[in-house]
Amino acid sequence: MRLLSLTALVMIAFAANSVLNRMAVHGAGWGPAATGFVRLGSGALVLVILALRARGWSGLRVKPAHLVMGVATLALYMYGFSIASGRIDAGIGALTLFGMVQITMFAGAVVQREPISRWRWIGAGLAFAGLVVLLAPGTPTRIDPTGFALMALAGIGWGLYSLAGAKARDPLVVSALNFAVTTPLALLWLVLAQDWGQGASWGWGPALASGAITSGLGYALWYRVLPQIPAAQAAIAQLSVPLLAALGGALLLGEIPAGRFWWACLLVLGGIAISLHKNRAGAR
C-alpha cells in the first residue's frame, strides 16, 4: 500500500508538470527556453541539496557513460516538453508524452525480456481504452502537429531516461548530477533563443514550482520508487498522468472536460488497479 501511495504521489507531480509548464509558456507567455532553464536550474538545486544531505560531496559520483546517457535523454525531454507546452493543451500534451513513454518503456521491458503477466496486459488494455474515450471528441479536435511531434519526442526522451534510472545504483545522485550538468545546456539554449524577459512576471511561480517541487522532489521520489517496480508496471502507472493533467487543466486553465471524462476516469484507474494487483495466477 505504501508503494502504491508513493507511486500515486509521483503521478500527481508529473501531471502538475504539464499544467505548470502550460501556465508558464501559454498562460504567462514565457519563452520555452526561459521556462526550461528555470525549471532545470531550480530542480538541480533541490536535487543536489538532497543528494549532499544523503551522501555528502564524496558520494556525488557516477560513471561517465551513465551521465552522458542521462544528460542526453533529459535534454531531449526538456527541449521537446518546453516548446510543446505552449502549443497543445495540458491534457492532450500529457497523453502524447506518456503515451510515448508507455511505448518506450514497454519496448524496454520486451528487450530486457521482463515477464509481463496477463493481468498487466488486461490492465493496460483497459487504461488505453479509457484514454481513447477521454480523447474521442464529439467534433474534430485540431492539434498542432509541431507541438504533437515535439511532445512525442519528449516522451521518448523521458522513457529512455526512466529506463536508465531504473538501473542506477544511487538514483538520487544520478538525478542530481543529470540536472546539474544539463542546466548549462539549457542556459546555452536560452542564450541562442534569446527569449528571456518575455511574458508576465507571475510566470516565475509555475516555472519555479515545476522545477523545485514537481520536478526536483518528484523525480527524487520517482527514482526511489522505480527500482521497486517492473518497467512494464511503471509504464502502466503513468497512464494516469494524462487523466490527472486533464483534471488540473480544468481546474486551473479553464479546460472543462466533457461528461465522458468520468467514464475515462473509471477505465483508466480501474485498469491501473488491475495491473498493480498482486495475483499469483497472473504471474504465471
Side-chain angles (χ1 to χ4, degrees):
M1 180 60 70
R2 181 174 178 273
L3 182 59
L4 183 60
S5 299
L6 291 176
T7 302
L9 184 60
V10 174
M11 295 307 105
I12 292 173
F14 289 168
N17 267 332
S18 296
V19 177
L20 291 170
N21 276 265
R22 177 76 171 160
M23 290 175 66
V25 180
H26 178 71
W30 272 40
T35 304
F37 173 70
V38 171
R39 183 184 175 191
L40 270 171
S42 57
L45 179 61
V46 169
L47 287 168
V48 168
I49 290 175
L50 291 175
L52 286 175
R53 290 187 61 182
R55 306 290 184 268
W57 285 103
S58 61
L60 296 184
R61 297 178 181 178
V62 64
K63 293 182 179 180
H66 292 171
L67 184 61
V68 170
M69 180 64 177
V71 170
T73 53
L74 179 60
L76 179 63
Y77 158 73
M78 193 65 64
Y79 176 81
F81 186 85
S82 298
I83 298 178
S85 292
R87 291 176 171 267
I88 54 179
D89 293 345
I92 295 176
L95 172 68
T96 305
L97 176 72
F98 286 95
M100 291 306 300
V101 170
Q102 172 82 347
I103 294 172
T104 303
M105 295 190 72
F106 261 109
V110 172
V111 171
Q112 296 169 11
R113 296 182 179 180
E114 177 184 308
I116 303 175
S117 72
R118 64 173 178 268
W119 289 108
R120 290 178 188 166
W121 284 113
I122 293 172
L126 285 175
F128 272 123
L131 295 179
V132 170
V133 170
L134 177 63
L135 292 182
T139 57
T141 300
R142 190 173 183 178
I143 301 177
D144 183 281
T146 301
F148 178 85
L150 286 169
M151 193 62 82
L153 193 66
I156 295 173
W158 174 244
L160 293 174
Y161 188 69
S162 297
L163 288 172
K167 300 178 180 179
R169 293 184 177 180
D170 196 332
L172 178 60
V173 170
V174 171
S175 297
L177 292 177
N178 284 338
F179 267 68
V181 176
T182 308
T183 299
L185 297 180
L187 178 59
L188 177 60
W189 177 28
L190 175 59
V191 171
L192 294 176
Q194 297 183 352
D195 65 5
W196 184 261
Q198 297 180 17
S201 59
W202 63 264
W204 277 101
L208 284 172
S210 176
I213 300 175
T214 59
S215 290
L217 296 178
Y219 290 3
L221 183 57
W222 176 235
Y223 284 112
R224 180 180 175 184
V225 171
L226 190 59
Q228 303 177 52
I229 55 179
Q233 191 169 337
I236 293 172
Q238 292 180 82
L239 285 170
S240 65
V241 174
L243 182 64
L244 295 172
L247 181 59
L251 296 175
L252 301 176
L253 303 175
E255 300 172 359
I256 307 300
R260 72 187 69 191
F261 172 85
W262 305 111
W263 292 107
C265 179
L266 291 175
L267 287 170
V268 172
L269 297 183
I272 292 173
I274 290 175
S275 69
L276 297 180
H277 178 65
K278 293 182 178 181
N279 189 302
R280 293 181 180 178
R284 294 175 183 174

